[in-house]
Amino acid sequence: MNLNELKKRREQNFLAHKKKKKEYYLKKKQKVKKEIDYQEELKDDNFSLKIKEIIKAQKNYVDNRKELIVKKIKEYKDIKKEYYEQNKEKRLEYDKEYRERKKEELKKYRKEYYKRLKEKQNKL
């Protein structure tokens, strides 16, 4: 095969893939569309019932997932604790370096801050 044939074949495959993808999304788009009659939904009686249904559905969803959520939070805390224990020396070393780097900047900032405070107090 020469280069031109490869280019043509690649382009054909790409176009076929693009067409297939477009058909898939158009099919999905047609499935998802659902018409809602807002006049009916927002009437006085139906509105309050609809709100109650939504609240009940959300509460059920949260209740069903509560154990899973608590479990994930606990796992996250355990992983975080383990990470900090493993990297304790690295963190302490980094903190020390950071403090040393920022020491001068902090001194300057504090001087300016206290100077501004004095000026404000003198004005009052």
Side-chain angles (χ1 to χ4, degrees):
M1 277 191 198
N2 61 15
L3 188 61
N4 289 333
E5 289 178 28
L6 285 174
K7 285 182 181 179
K8 285 181 184 178
R9 185 175 287 178
R10 182 172 180 244
E11 189 176 335
Q12 288 172 350
N13 288 342
F14 180 73
L15 291 174
H17 172 71
K18 199 172 180 181
K19 183 179 177 186
K20 193 175 180 182
K21 193 173 176 182
K22 186 176 181 180
E23 288 173 0
Y24 172 79
Y25 283 111
L26 288 175
K27 193 175 177 183
K28 279 284 187 186
K29 196 174 184 181
Q30 289 173 353
K31 267 188 187 178
V32 173
K33 281 201 173 183
K34 181 180 169 185
E35 299 262 341
I36 298 174
D37 183 15
Y38 289 104
Q39 293 294 338
E40 189 65 31
E41 293 286 327
L42 300 176
K43 281 186 179 175
D44 293 333
D45 298 336
N46 285 343
F47 183 74
S48 59
L49 290 174
K50 225 16 166 180
I51 295 295
K52 287 179 183 177
E53 286 177 23
I54 292 169
I55 292 170
K56 188 182 278 188
Q58 288 177 340
K59 186 178 182 326
N60 286 336
Y61 179 76
V62 170
D63 289 344
N64 290 340
R65 294 188 44 89
K66 185 177 180 180
E67 293 175 11
L68 183 65
I69 292 169
V70 170
K71 182 181 173 186
K72 284 190 176 190
I73 290 172
K74 187 176 179 182
E75 285 177 9
Y76 174 74
K77 285 181 180 178
D78 292 340
I79 290 171
K80 189 176 175 183
K81 184 178 178 181
E82 184 180 317
Y83 172 79
Y84 280 116
E85 287 173 359
Q86 286 178 351
N87 297 307
K88 186 176 182 180
E89 272 113 52
K90 286 181 185 176
R91 285 187 305 107
L92 291 174
E93 187 178 320
Y94 175 77
D95 290 345
K96 186 177 178 182
E97 290 173 7
Y98 180 80
R99 280 193 304 266
E100 289 172 2
R101 273 189 282 140
K102 297 293 179 176
K103 200 172 192 176
E104 294 300 318
E105 290 179 24
L106 288 171
K107 282 183 183 179
K108 288 178 185 177
Y109 174 77
R110 286 184 189 127
K111 283 182 184 180
E112 290 176 17
Y113 176 75
Y114 288 119
K115 186 178 178 181
R116 279 187 264 136
L117 274 179
K118 279 186 181 181
E119 288 175 2
K120 284 182 182 179
Q121 287 177 352
N122 289 338
K123 286 182 181 179
L124 295 176

